[in-house]
């Protein structure tokens, strides 16, 4: 059985004292926790987060990385720079990166591949827009977005199905909508890497997850965890979401 994975995406929020306080509160709560927990903070908070989380059950993640080890890429951060800090996960292809910073399937896949080669595990985001859903094209879009994944290593990968219309809107996908998309993605994984690898890949749901809707979403057979944005900023809310994870 797949171990549930709960990931916090702080986006561009927080400061050093807040991340320290947050992890000091969260870590002792995870002693008997069945889930794997990752906290993805802005680049500037990674050193503090990694230091506080050392030796704890919390893994620290970044929210993006470049595909080169170094070079003339002003403003970018390489995967090796992240591993040097003690970071072990990175989110790639988030819809905010795609929408606001022209991220494409191709660049997201390049970033993810470089991250894996540097030893990072990747949370790779995909999902349809509201228009695409209303046109009945959700699975077609997921099929297109996932076509590049054959270049990645399924062992250091979690997919995050994040319908764009559900991110930060307070309107989550229903458990049935999430399950349909996740089952489709697992089928894509089977086609890319075989049934065994597909059975092991964790597929997270992301989009307005709260302590109120998490249990029903995580109860779906192909929903293996959650990528949580807004609600993860509050340690009480994120802890409550973690507690809804089924035992592995
Ligand atoms: C996200 O940022 O990945 C996300 C799912 O945000 P929210 O939980 O706020 O919808």
């Amino acid at each position: 059985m797949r171990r549930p994975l709960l990931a916090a995406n702080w986006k561009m929020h927080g400061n050093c004292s807040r991340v320290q306080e947050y992890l000091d509160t969260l870590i002792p709560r995870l002693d008997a926790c069945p889930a794997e927990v990752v906290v993805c903070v802005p680049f500037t908070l990674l050193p503090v987060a990694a230091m506080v989380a050392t030796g704890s059950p919390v893994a620290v993640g970044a929210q993006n990385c470049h595909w080169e080890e170094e070079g003339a890429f002003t403003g970018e951060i390489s995967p090796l720079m992240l591993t040097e800090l003690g970071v072990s996960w990175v989110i790639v292809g988030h819809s905010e990166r795609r929408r606001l910073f022209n991220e494409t399937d191709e660049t997201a896949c390049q970033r993810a591949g470089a991250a894996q080669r540097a030893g990072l595990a990747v949370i790779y985001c995909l999902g349809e827009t509201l228009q695409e859903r209303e046109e009945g094209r959700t699975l077609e879009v997921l099929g297109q977005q996932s076509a590049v994944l054959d270049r990645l290593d399924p062992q250091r990968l979690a997919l995050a199905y994040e319908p764009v219309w559900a991110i930060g809107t307070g309107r989550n996908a229903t458990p049935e909508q999430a399950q349909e998309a996740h089952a489709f993605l697992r089928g894509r994984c089977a086609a890319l890497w075989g049934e065994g690898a597909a059975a092991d890949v964790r597929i997270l749901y992301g989009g307005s997850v709260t302590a109120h809707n998490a249990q029903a979403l995580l109860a779906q057979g192909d929903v293996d965890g959650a990528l949580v944005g807004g609600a993860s900023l509050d340690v009480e809310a994120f802890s409550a979401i973690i507690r809804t994870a089924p035992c592995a």
Side-chain angles (χ1 to χ4, degrees):
M1 186 171 169
R2 296 175 292 271
R3 186 178 181 205
L5 173 61
L6 280 304
N9 176 15
W10 275 29
K11 313 195 188 205
M12 197 172 70
H13 294 286
N15 57 38
C16 288
S17 58
R18 187 162 168 199
V19 78
Q20 169 130 28
E21 205 178 306
Y22 183 96
L23 291 172
D24 282 345
T25 307
L26 182 63
I27 288 167
R29 295 179 178 176
L30 301 179
D31 274 351
C33 176
E36 186 173 353
V37 175
V38 184
V39 177
C40 302
V41 295
F43 289 130
T44 53
L45 305 185
L46 291 170
V48 178
M51 193 180 63
V52 178
T54 300
S56 84
V58 172
V60 172
Q63 300 170 13
N64 191 22
C65 68
H66 198 259
W67 52 82
E68 295 288 349
E69 285 182 18
E70 62 177 359
F73 302 104
T74 303
E76 292 286 326
I77 299 286
S78 82
L80 286 177
M81 291 170 179
L82 297 177
T83 54
E84 191 185 26
L85 291 178
V87 171
S88 46
W89 285 84
V90 61
I91 298 171
V92 170
H94 191 280
S95 69
E96 286 153 14
R97 302 285 326 163
R98 291 174 186 261
R99 184 168 52 87
L100 301 170
F101 301 100
N102 303 321
E103 192 81 76
T104 62
D105 296 330
E106 179 58 34
T107 56
C109 187
Q110 281 186 48
R111 292 180 201 275
Q116 289 188 328
R117 286 191 293 281
L120 292 163
V122 171
I123 297 175
Y124 191 99
C125 304
L126 19 72
E128 81 287 1
T129 62
L130 184 59
Q131 185 180 346
E132 288 161 347
R133 176 159 283 271
E134 287 177 345
E135 289 171 0
R137 297 179 49 227
T138 297
L139 301 186
E140 176 194 329
V141 169
L142 293 179
Q144 285 162 1
Q145 291 178 338
S146 58
V148 292
L149 296 178
D150 62 342
R151 287 185 257 156
L152 301 183
D153 173 1
Q155 300 221 339
R156 279 201 299 271
L157 183 69
L159 301 182
Y161 168 59
E162 296 212 308
V164 179
W165 47 271
I167 296 178
T169 59
R171 181 184 167 196
N172 60 286
T174 64
E176 294 74 23
Q177 287 171 326
Q179 172 57 26
E180 182 192 30
H182 285 225
F184 174 80
L185 286 171
R186 201 171 302 286
R188 293 285 297 152
C189 292
L192 295 173
W193 301 302
E195 296 286 345
D200 289 343
V201 169
R202 289 175 292 183
I203 307 178
L204 316 184
Y205 168 77
S208 297
V209 172
T210 64
H212 302 291
N213 59 31
Q215 189 154 23
L217 287 160
L218 269 66
Q220 301 299 308
D222 286 293
V223 178
D224 307 312
L227 178 54
V228 186
S232 75
L233 290 168
D234 175 1
V235 73
E236 298 304 328
F238 189 50
S239 303
I241 291 169
I242 293 169
R243 283 196 295 273
T244 67
C247 288

